[in-house]
């Protein structure tokens, strides 16, 4: 029973991360473009398409997790995206760039140091742990997907014989 509760908390928490992150980026597409460009990893012709698509991809992941459809697959895609995000933050840090990651809106040039990057990486590794948990234990109460649904019940207590 406790595994299902932890899975439910992980599913809703990871859904919230993706929904908030995506919504903040959708609300300010120009800033999202600045954030993607600041990483200096993509050719200029790909910056805007990635900046425009990423928020909607995050929102889609969040919605799938929130309603509980394809939880294992969505968690696996979430884990892959989080690994990429951790990798690009490490890349920025290793190249000596000083940027705000733009993970939850904002982004671009900023006065940051190694501790800021460490906090971002640790935060994303925490989100990765949620995704990994859901890959292993995807069945949760209140999920709509047949392969993701688990009953929310407590085993009946034995009665005393009279």
């Amino acid at each position: 029973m406790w595994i299902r509760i932890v899975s439910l908390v992980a599913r809703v928490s990871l859904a919230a991360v993706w929904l908030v992150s995506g919504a903040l980026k959708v609300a300010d597409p120009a800033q999202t473009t600045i954030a993607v460009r600041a990483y200096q990893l993509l050719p200029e012709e790909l910056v805007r398409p990635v900046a425009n698509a990423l928020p909607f991809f995050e929102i889609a992941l969040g919605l799938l997790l929130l309603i509980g459809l394809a939880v294992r697959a969505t968690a696996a895609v979430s884990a892959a995206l989080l690994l990429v995000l951790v990798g690009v933050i490490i890349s920025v840090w290793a190249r000596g760039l000083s940027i705000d990651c733009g993970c939850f809106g904002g982004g671009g040039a900023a006065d940051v140091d190694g501790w800021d990057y460490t906090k971002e990486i640790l935060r994303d590794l925490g989100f990765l742990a949620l995704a990994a948990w859901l890959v292993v234990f995807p069945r949760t109460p209140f999920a709509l997907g047949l392969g993701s649904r688990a009953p929310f019940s407590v085993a009946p207590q034995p009665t005393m014989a009279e």
Side-chain angles (χ1 to χ4, degrees):
M1 174 66 176
W2 69 270
I3 289 176
R4 292 178 182 163
I5 300 299
V6 172
S7 294
L8 176 62
V9 170
R11 180 171 64 89
V12 172
S13 298
L14 192 55
V17 167
W18 290 131
L19 290 170
V20 169
S21 177
L24 290 171
K25 289 178 181 105
V26 165
D28 194 352
Q31 189 62 46
T32 302
T33 301
I34 290 168
V36 171
R37 184 176 289 120
Y39 282 94
Q40 300 177 20
L41 289 170
L42 296 173
E44 187 58 33
E45 58 272 7
L46 291 179
V47 168
R48 191 171 306 278
V50 168
N52 290 336
L54 182 60
F56 294 102
F57 187 65
E58 291 174 340
I59 290 169
L61 290 173
L63 289 174
L64 286 170
L65 287 168
L66 185 64
I67 62 176
L69 285 177
V71 171
R72 178 174 278 139
T74 305
V77 172
S78 295
L81 180 55
L82 286 161
L83 286 170
V84 168
L85 294 173
V86 167
V88 298
I89 292 169
I90 291 170
S91 167
V92 164
W93 189 5
R95 290 181 288 140
L97 300 177
S98 184
I99 68 168
D100 176 331
C101 75
C103 300
F104 291 93
D111 185 24
V112 298
D113 59 18
W115 177 240
D116 294 308
Y117 290 130
T118 301
K119 289 187 297 187
E120 290 172 359
I121 291 166
L122 291 173
R123 178 202 59 215
D124 287 352
L125 290 176
F127 299 152
L128 180 60
L130 295 176
W133 178 274
L134 290 170
V135 168
V136 177
F137 302 108
R139 297 176 62 83
T140 63
F142 312 115
L144 296 181
L146 294 177
S148 301
R149 188 179 314 143
F152 189 74
S153 63
V154 177
Q157 298 295 321
T159 59
M160 292 180 46
E162 293 182 44

